[in-house]
Amino acid sequence: MTAPPLLQVRDLVKHFPVKKRSFFDTSNAVVHAVDGVSFDIARGKTMGLVGESGCGKSTLGRLVVRLDRSTSGSVVYDGKDFLNSNGRDLRQLRRDIQIIFQDPYASLNPRMTVQQILAEPFEIHGLVYGQERLRRIRELLDAVGLPSYYAQRYPHEFSGGQRQRIGIARALALNPKLIVCDEPVSALDVSIQAQVLNLLKKLQRDMGISYLFIAHGLAAVKHISDDVGVMYLGKLVESAPKSRLFAAPAHPYTQALISAIPVPDPRAASKRIILQGDVPSPINPPSGCRFHTRCPYAPQLGDRCKTEQPKPVELAPGHQVACHLYRQ
C-alpha cells in the first residue's frame, strides 16, 4: 500500500489587489499570482518547480509555509490542515515546515552573530538551553560544512555560499520534515551552486527531509528533483517524474524551456524553440489557455485554446499535462 504524501496542495489561489491610483479609481484589479495549483510531495522526496520569472513559483512557496495567506485552496501537511491551523497546532507545524530564502544576505540579520541567528529558532519555540543549545549550534554548523568558530562572526564576514549554508543551518535547527527552497542557488557562482545542491541531497539522505525546490535553472532542478512541475502565469501546466519530463516533455512551454538548456558540444545542431511575444500581464491574463498567445500549436486548434481552460490529462502514471493537444 502506497504511503500518503507528506504534503498535499489542492487548488491553491493567491490574488493580490492592485493599489488604486487615485481616490476616484473604482477598478478592482488583482494580480493572478497563483491560480488553482495542485500537487503532492512524497516523504523524503523533492518536488522541483520551474518557470519564468513572475510565473508565481516563489509566491507558491510562501503560501505553502504560510508567509502569505492564500485567497483559497488547501495545504494539508501530514494529514493536518495547515492553512486553518491555529495556536499550539500551528506552532508545532511551524517547526516541521521551514524555508530557505533566495537571497542569503538579505535573509540574515546583519546585527546578529551566526550563533544568535541559529539560536533564534530555539528561543522562539522554547527548546534546549545553555550548553545544550551551544552544542546543537555546533552540530548545525558541522552539518553544513562550516567550522564551529564561525559562530562568533557576522553575516557580512562570509561569502555568498557560506551565507547560504548558514541559511540552510537555520532551516535545519528544528529538525523539519519539509523545507521550501526558494531559488537557493540562483545568487551563487556555478561551482558554489554544485556544493549547495550536493549538501541538500546529503541532508535529505541523512535526515529524510522532503523539499519543494523552486528554481528557474533546469540544470539544478534536474540534479536534485524526483518530480518536476512547470508553472506558467500562475498555472501548473505540466508535472511528471523527472526522468520522464526531461525525456518526453509534453506541453509546448515545457518543450521550449528544455530546448534552452545549453548543450556542451559546439558541434551539436541547435534545436532551440524560440517563443514569440512576451509573457502576458498577470493582472489581465489571457482567457482560455494562458499560453495560447505564444503557443505555436494554438492556431491549428481553433478557438478552443482562446476560450476554454485546459484540464489536466494523465499521459502516464504521475505525468499530467494541461494542454488541448492531448484532449479528444
Coordinates of all heavy atoms in Angstrom, one line a residue, residues 11-88:
D11 N -5.8 23.1 -5.4 CA -6.5 24.3 -5.9 C -6.1 25.6 -5.2 O -6.9 26.4 -4.8 CB -8.0 24.2 -5.8 CG -8.5 23.0 -6.6 OD1 -8.0 22.8 -7.7 OD2 -9.4 22.2 -6.1
L12 N -4.8 25.8 -5.0 CA -4.3 26.9 -4.2 C -4.3 28.2 -5.1 O -3.9 28.2 -6.3 CB -2.8 26.7 -3.8 CG -2.3 27.5 -2.6 CD1 -3.2 27.3 -1.4 CD2 -0.9 27.1 -2.3
V13 N -4.9 29.3 -4.6 CA -5.1 30.5 -5.3 C -4.6 31.7 -4.4 O -4.8 31.7 -3.2 CB -6.6 30.7 -5.6 CG1 -6.8 32.1 -6.2 CG2 -7.1 29.6 -6.5
K14 N -3.9 32.6 -5.1 CA -3.4 33.8 -4.4 C -3.6 35.0 -5.4 O -2.9 35.0 -6.4 CB -2.0 33.7 -3.9 CG -1.5 35.0 -3.2 CD -2.4 35.4 -2.0 CE -1.9 36.6 -1.3 NZ -2.7 37.0 -0.2
H15 N -4.5 35.9 -5.1 CA -4.7 37.1 -5.8 C -4.3 38.3 -5.0 O -4.7 38.5 -3.9 CB -6.1 37.3 -6.3 CG -6.6 36.2 -7.2 ND1 -7.9 36.0 -7.5 CD2 -5.9 35.4 -8.0 CE1 -8.0 35.0 -8.4 NE2 -6.8 34.6 -8.7
F16 N -3.4 39.2 -5.5 CA -3.0 40.4 -4.8 C -3.8 41.6 -5.4 O -3.8 41.8 -6.6 CB -1.5 40.7 -5.0 CG -0.6 39.7 -4.3 CD1 0.0 38.6 -5.1 CD2 -0.3 39.8 -3.0 CE1 0.8 37.7 -4.4 CE2 0.5 38.8 -2.4 CZ 1.1 37.8 -3.1
P17 N -4.5 42.3 -4.6 CA -5.2 43.5 -5.1 C -4.2 44.6 -5.6 O -3.1 44.8 -5.0 CB -6.0 44.0 -3.9 CG -5.2 43.5 -2.7 CD -4.6 42.2 -3.1
V18 N -4.5 45.2 -6.7 CA -3.7 46.3 -7.2 C -4.0 47.6 -6.5 O -5.2 47.9 -6.4 CB -3.9 46.4 -8.8 CG1 -3.1 47.6 -9.3 CG2 -3.6 45.1 -9.5
K19 N -3.0 48.3 -6.1 CA -3.2 49.6 -5.4 C -3.9 50.6 -6.3 O -3.5 50.8 -7.5 CB -1.8 50.1 -5.0 CG -1.9 51.4 -4.1 CD -0.5 51.8 -3.7 CE -0.6 53.1 -2.8 NZ 0.7 53.6 -2.4
K20 N -4.9 51.2 -5.8 CA -5.6 52.2 -6.6 C -4.8 53.4 -6.9 O -4.1 53.9 -6.0 CB -6.9 52.6 -5.8 CG -7.9 51.4 -5.7 CD -9.2 51.9 -5.0 CE -10.2 50.7 -4.8 NZ -10.6 50.2 -6.1
R21 N -4.9 53.9 -8.1 CA -4.1 55.1 -8.5 C -4.6 56.4 -7.9 O -3.8 57.3 -7.8 CB -4.0 55.1 -10.0 CG -3.2 53.9 -10.6 CD -3.3 53.9 -12.1 NE -4.6 53.5 -12.5 CZ -5.0 53.3 -13.8 NH1 -4.1 53.5 -14.7 NH2 -6.2 52.9 -14.1
S22 N -5.8 56.5 -7.6 CA -6.4 57.7 -7.1 C -7.7 57.4 -6.3 O -8.2 56.2 -6.4 CB -6.7 58.7 -8.2 OG -7.8 58.2 -9.0
F23 N -8.2 58.4 -5.6 CA -9.5 58.2 -4.9 C -10.6 57.8 -5.8 O -11.6 57.1 -5.4 CB -9.8 59.5 -4.1 CG -11.1 59.4 -3.3 CD1 -11.1 58.8 -2.1 CD2 -12.2 60.0 -3.8 CE1 -12.3 58.7 -1.4 CE2 -13.4 59.9 -3.1 CZ -13.5 59.3 -1.9
F24 N -10.6 58.3 -7.0 CA -11.7 58.1 -7.9 C -11.5 56.8 -8.8 O -12.4 56.5 -9.6 CB -11.8 59.3 -8.9 CG -12.0 60.6 -8.2 CD1 -11.0 61.5 -8.0 CD2 -13.3 60.9 -7.7 CE1 -11.2 62.7 -7.3 CE2 -13.5 62.1 -7.1 CZ -12.5 63.0 -6.8
D25 N -10.4 56.1 -8.5 CA -10.2 54.8 -9.2 C -11.1 53.7 -8.7 O -11.0 53.3 -7.5 CB -8.8 54.4 -9.1 CG -8.4 53.2 -10.0 OD1 -9.4 52.6 -10.6 OD2 -7.3 52.8 -10.0
T26 N -12.1 53.3 -9.4 CA -13.1 52.3 -8.9 C -12.8 50.9 -9.4 O -13.6 50.0 -9.2 CB -14.5 52.7 -9.4 OG1 -14.5 52.7 -10.8 CG2 -14.9 54.0 -8.8
S27 N -11.6 50.7 -10.1 CA -11.3 49.4 -10.6 C -10.9 48.4 -9.4 O -10.5 48.9 -8.4 CB -10.1 49.4 -11.6 OG -9.0 49.9 -10.9
N28 N -11.2 47.2 -9.6 CA -10.9 46.2 -8.6 C -9.9 45.1 -9.2 O -10.1 43.9 -9.0 CB -12.2 45.5 -8.1 CG -13.1 46.4 -7.3 OD1 -12.6 47.1 -6.4 ND2 -14.4 46.5 -7.7
A29 N -8.9 45.6 -9.8 CA -7.9 44.7 -10.5 C -7.1 44.0 -9.5 O -6.9 44.4 -8.4 CB -7.0 45.5 -11.4
V30 N -6.8 42.7 -9.8 CA -5.9 41.9 -9.0 C -4.9 41.3 -9.8 O -5.0 41.1 -11.0 CB -6.8 40.8 -8.2 CG1 -7.8 41.4 -7.3 CG2 -7.4 39.9 -9.2
V31 N -3.7 40.9 -9.1 CA -2.7 40.2 -9.8 C -2.9 38.7 -9.5 O -3.0 38.2 -8.4 CB -1.3 40.6 -9.2 CG1 -0.2 39.7 -9.8 CG2 -1.0 42.0 -9.5
H32 N -3.1 37.9 -10.6 CA -3.4 36.5 -10.5 C -2.0 35.8 -10.3 O -1.5 35.2 -11.3 CB -4.1 36.0 -11.8 CG -5.4 36.6 -11.9 ND1 -6.6 36.0 -11.7 CD2 -5.8 37.9 -12.3 CE1 -7.6 36.8 -12.0 NE2 -7.2 37.9 -12.4
A33 N -1.5 35.8 -9.1 CA -0.1 35.3 -8.9 C -0.1 33.8 -9.0 O 0.8 33.1 -9.6 CB 0.4 35.8 -7.6
V34 N -1.1 33.1 -8.3 CA -1.2 31.7 -8.3 C -2.7 31.4 -8.5 O -3.6 31.9 -7.8 CB -0.7 31.1 -6.9 CG1 -1.0 29.6 -6.9 CG2 0.7 31.4 -6.7
D35 N -3.0 30.5 -9.5 CA -4.4 30.3 -9.8 C -4.7 28.8 -10.0 O -4.7 28.2 -11.0 CB -4.7 31.0 -11.2 CG -5.7 32.1 -11.0 OD1 -6.4 32.2 -10.0 OD2 -5.8 32.9 -12.0
G36 N -5.1 28.2 -8.8 CA -5.6 26.8 -8.9 C -4.5 25.8 -9.1 O -4.6 24.9 -9.9
V37 N -3.4 25.8 -8.3 CA -2.3 24.9 -8.4 C -2.5 23.7 -7.4 O -2.9 23.9 -6.2 CB -1.0 25.6 -8.1 CG1 0.2 24.6 -8.0 CG2 -0.7 26.6 -9.2
S38 N -2.3 22.5 -7.9 CA -2.4 21.3 -7.1 C -1.2 20.4 -7.3 O -0.8 20.2 -8.5 CB -3.7 20.5 -7.4 OG -4.8 21.3 -7.2
F39 N -0.6 19.8 -6.3 CA 0.5 18.8 -6.4 C 0.7 18.2 -5.1 O 0.2 18.6 -4.0 CB 1.8 19.5 -6.9 CG 2.3 20.5 -5.9 CD1 3.2 20.2 -4.9 CD2 2.0 21.9 -6.1 CE1 3.7 21.2 -4.0 CE2 2.5 22.9 -5.2 CZ 3.3 22.5 -4.2
D40 N 1.4 17.1 -5.1 CA 1.8 16.3 -3.9 C 3.3 16.2 -3.8 O 4.0 16.3 -4.8 CB 1.2 14.9 -3.9 CG -0.3 14.9 -3.9 OD1 -0.9 15.8 -3.4 OD2 -0.9 13.8 -4.3
I41 N 3.8 16.1 -2.5 CA 5.2 15.8 -2.3 C 5.3 14.6 -1.4 O 4.7 14.6 -0.3 CB 5.9 17.0 -1.6 CG1 5.9 18.3 -2.5 CG2 7.4 16.7 -1.3 CD1 6.6 19.5 -2.0
A42 N 6.0 13.6 -1.8 CA 6.1 12.4 -1.1 C 7.2 12.6 0.0 O 8.0 13.5 0.0 CB 6.5 11.2 -2.0
R43 N 7.1 11.7 1.0 CA 8.1 11.7 2.1 C 9.5 11.4 1.6 O 9.7 10.4 1.0 CB 7.6 10.8 3.2 CG 6.3 11.1 3.8 CD 5.8 9.9 4.7 NE 4.4 10.2 5.0 CZ 3.9 10.9 6.0 NH1 4.8 11.4 6.9 NH2 2.7 11.1 6.3
G44 N 10.4 12.3 2.0 CA 11.8 12.1 1.6 C 12.1 12.3 0.2 O 13.2 12.0 -0.3
K45 N 11.2 13.0 -0.5 CA 11.4 13.3 -2.0 C 11.5 14.8 -2.2 O 11.1 15.6 -1.4 CB 10.3 12.6 -2.8 CG 10.2 11.1 -2.6 CD 11.4 10.4 -3.2 CE 11.2 8.9 -3.1 NZ 12.4 8.2 -3.6
T46 N 11.9 15.1 -3.5 CA 12.0 16.5 -3.8 C 11.1 16.8 -5.0 O 11.1 16.1 -6.1 CB 13.4 16.9 -4.2 OG1 14.3 16.6 -3.1 CG2 13.6 18.3 -4.7
M47 N 10.3 17.8 -4.9 CA 9.4 18.3 -6.0 C 10.1 19.6 -6.5 O 10.2 20.6 -5.8 CB 8.0 18.6 -5.5 CG 7.1 19.4 -6.4 SD 6.5 18.4 -7.8 CE 5.4 19.6 -8.6
G48 N 10.5 19.6 -7.7 CA 11.1 20.8 -8.4 C 10.0 21.6 -9.0 O 9.1 21.0 -9.6
L49 N 10.1 22.9 -8.9 CA 9.2 23.8 -9.5 C 9.9 24.8 -10.4 O 10.8 25.6 -9.9 CB 8.4 24.5 -8.4 CG 7.0 25.2 -8.8 CD1 6.1 24.1 -9.3 CD2 6.5 25.9 -7.6
V50 N 9.6 24.9 -11.7 CA 10.3 25.7 -12.6 C 9.3 26.6 -13.4 O 8.1 26.3 -13.4 CB 11.2 24.9 -13.6 CG1 12.2 24.1 -12.9 CG2 10.3 24.0 -14.5
G51 N 9.9 27.7 -14.0 CA 9.1 28.6 -14.8 C 9.8 29.9 -14.9 O 10.8 30.2 -14.2
E52 N 9.3 30.8 -15.8 CA 10.0 32.1 -16.0 C 9.7 32.9 -14.8 O 8.8 32.7 -13.9 CB 9.3 32.7 -17.2 CG 9.7 32.1 -18.5 CD 8.9 32.7 -19.7 OE1 7.7 32.4 -19.8 OE2 9.5 33.5 -20.5
S53 N 10.6 34.0 -14.6 CA 10.4 35.0 -13.6 C 9.0 35.6 -13.7 O 8.5 35.9 -14.7 CB 11.4 36.1 -13.7 OG 12.7 35.5 -13.5
G54 N 8.3 35.7 -12.5 CA 7.0 36.2 -12.5 C 5.9 35.2 -12.7 O 4.7 35.6 -12.7
C55 N 6.2 33.9 -12.8 CA 5.1 32.9 -13.0 C 4.4 32.6 -11.8 O 3.4 31.9 -11.8 CB 5.7 31.7 -13.7 SG 6.7 30.7 -12.6
G56 N 4.9 33.0 -10.6 CA 4.2 32.7 -9.3 C 4.8 31.6 -8.5 O 4.3 31.3 -7.4
K57 N 6.0 31.1 -8.9 CA 6.5 29.9 -8.1 C 7.0 30.3 -6.7 O 6.8 29.6 -5.8 CB 7.6 29.3 -8.9 CG 8.8 30.2 -9.4 CD 9.7 29.4 -10.3 CE 10.9 30.2 -10.7 NZ 10.6 31.5 -11.5
S58 N 7.6 31.5 -6.6 CA 8.0 32.0 -5.2 C 6.8 32.3 -4.4 O 6.9 32.0 -3.2 CB 9.0 33.2 -5.3 OG 10.2 32.8 -5.9
T59 N 5.8 32.9 -4.9 CA 4.6 33.1 -4.2 C 4.0 31.8 -3.7 O 3.5 31.7 -2.6 CB 3.5 33.9 -5.1 OG1 4.1 35.1 -5.5 CG2 2.3 34.1 -4.3
L60 N 4.0 30.8 -4.6 CA 3.5 29.5 -4.2 C 4.3 28.9 -3.0 O 3.7 28.4 -2.0 CB 3.6 28.5 -5.4 CG 3.1 27.1 -5.1 CD1 1.7 27.1 -4.7 CD2 3.3 26.3 -6.4
G61 N 5.6 29.1 -3.0 CA 6.4 28.6 -1.9 C 6.1 29.3 -0.6 O 6.0 28.7 0.5
R62 N 5.8 30.6 -0.7 CA 5.5 31.4 0.5 C 4.1 31.0 1.0 O 3.8 31.1 2.2 CB 5.5 32.9 0.2 CG 6.9 33.4 -0.1 CD 6.9 34.9 -0.5 NE 6.4 35.7 0.6 CZ 7.2 36.2 1.6 NH1 8.5 35.9 1.6 NH2 6.7 37.0 2.5
L63 N 3.2 30.6 0.1 CA 1.9 30.2 0.5 C 2.0 28.8 1.3 O 1.2 28.6 2.3 CB 0.9 30.0 -0.7 CG 0.5 31.3 -1.4 CD1 -0.3 30.9 -2.7 CD2 -0.2 32.3 -0.6
V64 N 2.8 28.0 0.8 CA 3.0 26.7 1.4 C 3.5 26.8 2.9 O 3.0 26.0 3.8 CB 4.0 25.8 0.6 CG1 4.4 24.5 1.4 CG2 3.3 25.4 -0.7
V65 N 4.4 27.7 3.2 CA 4.9 27.9 4.5 C 4.0 29.0 5.3 O 4.4 29.3 6.4 CB 6.3 28.3 4.6 CG1 7.2 27.2 4.0 CG2 6.6 29.6 3.8
R66 N 3.0 29.5 4.7 CA 2.1 30.5 5.3 C 2.7 31.8 5.6 O 2.3 32.4 6.6 CB 1.4 29.8 6.5 CG -0.1 30.3 6.7 CD -0.8 29.5 7.6 NE -1.4 30.3 8.7 CZ -2.2 29.8 9.6 NH1 -2.6 28.6 9.6 NH2 -2.6 30.6 10.6
L67 N 3.7 32.2 4.9 CA 4.2 33.6 5.0 C 3.2 34.5 4.3 O 3.2 35.7 4.7 CB 5.6 33.7 4.4 CG 6.7 33.0 5.1 CD1 8.0 33.1 4.4 CD2 6.9 33.5 6.5
D68 N 2.5 34.1 3.3 CA 1.4 34.8 2.8 C 0.1 34.0 2.9 O 0.2 32.7 2.9 CB 1.6 35.1 1.3 CG 2.7 36.1 1.0 OD1 2.8 37.0 1.8 OD2 3.4 36.0 0.0
R69 N -1.0 34.6 3.1 CA -2.3 33.9 3.3 C -2.9 33.7 1.9 O -2.9 34.6 1.1 CB -3.3 34.6 4.2 CG -2.8 34.7 5.6 CD -2.6 33.4 6.3 NE -3.8 32.5 6.2 CZ -4.6 32.4 7.3 NH1 -4.4 33.0 8.4 NH2 -5.7 31.6 7.2
S70 N -3.4 32.5 1.6 CA -3.9 32.2 0.3 C -5.3 32.8 0.2 O -6.0 33.0 1.2 CB -4.0 30.7 0.1 OG -4.9 30.1 1.1
T71 N -5.7 33.1 -1.1 CA -7.1 33.5 -1.3 C -8.1 32.4 -1.2 O -9.2 32.5 -0.6 CB -7.2 34.1 -2.8 OG1 -6.2 35.2 -2.9 CG2 -8.5 34.6 -3.1
S72 N -7.7 31.2 -1.6 CA -8.5 30.0 -1.5 C -7.6 28.8 -1.7 O -6.4 28.9 -2.1 CB -9.7 30.0 -2.4 OG -9.2 29.9 -3.8
G73 N -8.2 27.6 -1.5 CA -7.4 26.4 -1.6 C -7.0 25.8 -0.3 O -7.3 26.3 0.8
S74 N -6.3 24.7 -0.4 CA -5.9 24.0 0.9 C -4.4 23.5 0.8 O -3.9 23.2 -0.3 CB -6.8 22.8 1.1 OG -6.7 21.8 0.2
V75 N -3.8 23.4 1.9 CA -2.5 22.8 2.1 C -2.6 21.9 3.3 O -2.8 22.3 4.4 CB -1.4 23.9 2.4 CG1 0.0 23.2 2.6 CG2 -1.2 24.9 1.2
V76 N -2.5 20.6 3.0 CA -2.6 19.5 4.0 C -1.2 19.0 4.2 O -0.6 18.4 3.3 CB -3.6 18.5 3.6 CG1 -3.6 17.3 4.7 CG2 -5.0 19.1 3.4
Y77 N -0.7 19.1 5.4 CA 0.7 18.6 5.8 C 0.5 17.4 6.7 O -0.1 17.6 7.8 CB 1.5 19.7 6.4 CG 2.8 19.2 7.1 CD1 3.9 18.8 6.3 CD2 2.8 18.9 8.4 CE1 5.0 18.3 6.9 CE2 3.9 18.4 9.0 CZ 5.0 18.1 8.3 OH 6.2 17.6 8.8
D78 N 0.9 16.3 6.3 CA 0.9 15.1 7.2 C -0.5 14.8 7.8 O -0.7 14.5 8.9 CB 1.9 15.2 8.3 CG 2.3 13.8 8.9 OD1 2.0 12.8 8.3 OD2 3.0 13.8 10.0
G79 N -1.5 15.1 6.9 CA -2.9 14.9 7.3 C -3.5 16.0 8.1 O -4.7 15.9 8.5
K80 N -2.8 17.1 8.3 CA -3.3 18.2 9.1 C -3.5 19.4 8.1 O -2.7 19.7 7.3 CB -2.3 18.6 10.2 CG -2.0 17.5 11.1 CD -1.0 17.9 12.2 CE -0.6 16.8 13.1 NZ 0.2 15.7 12.4
D81 N -4.6 20.1 8.3 CA -4.9 21.3 7.5 C -4.1 22.5 8.0 O -4.4 23.1 9.0 CB -6.4 21.7 7.7 CG -6.9 22.8 6.8 OD1 -6.0 23.4 6.2 OD2 -8.1 23.1 6.7
F82 N -3.0 22.8 7.3 CA -2.0 23.8 7.7 C -2.6 25.2 7.6 O -2.4 26.0 8.5 CB -0.8 23.7 6.8 CG 0.3 24.6 7.2 CD1 0.7 24.8 8.6 CD2 1.1 25.3 6.3 CE1 1.7 25.6 8.9 CE2 2.1 26.1 6.6 CZ 2.4 26.3 8.0
L83 N -3.3 25.5 6.6 CA -3.8 26.9 6.4 C -4.8 27.3 7.4 O -5.0 28.5 7.7 CB -4.4 27.0 5.0 CG -3.4 26.8 3.8 CD1 -4.1 27.2 2.5 CD2 -2.2 27.6 4.0
N84 N -5.5 26.3 8.0 CA -6.6 26.7 9.0 C -6.2 26.3 10.4 O -7.0 26.3 11.4 CB -7.9 26.0 8.7 CG -8.5 26.6 7.4 OD1 -8.6 27.8 7.2 ND2 -8.9 25.7 6.5
S85 N -4.9 26.0 10.6 CA -4.4 25.6 12.0 C -4.1 26.9 12.8 O -3.7 27.9 12.2 CB -3.1 24.8 11.9 OG -3.4 23.5 11.3
N86 N -4.3 26.8 14.1 CA -4.0 27.9 15.0 C -3.4 27.5 16.3 O -3.5 26.3 16.6 CB -5.3 28.7 15.2 CG -5.9 29.4 14.0 OD1 -5.3 30.4 13.5 ND2 -7.0 28.9 13.5
G87 N -2.9 28.4 17.1 CA -2.5 28.1 18.4 C -1.4 27.1 18.4 O -0.4 27.1 17.7
R88 N -1.5 26.1 19.3 CA -0.5 25.1 19.6 C -0.3 24.2 18.3 O 0.9 23.9 18.0 CB -0.9 24.2 20.8 CG 0.2 23.2 21.1 CD -0.2 22.4 22.3 NE -0.3 23.3 23.5 CZ -0.7 22.8 24.7 NH1 -1.1 21.6 24.9 NH2 -0.8 23.7 25.7

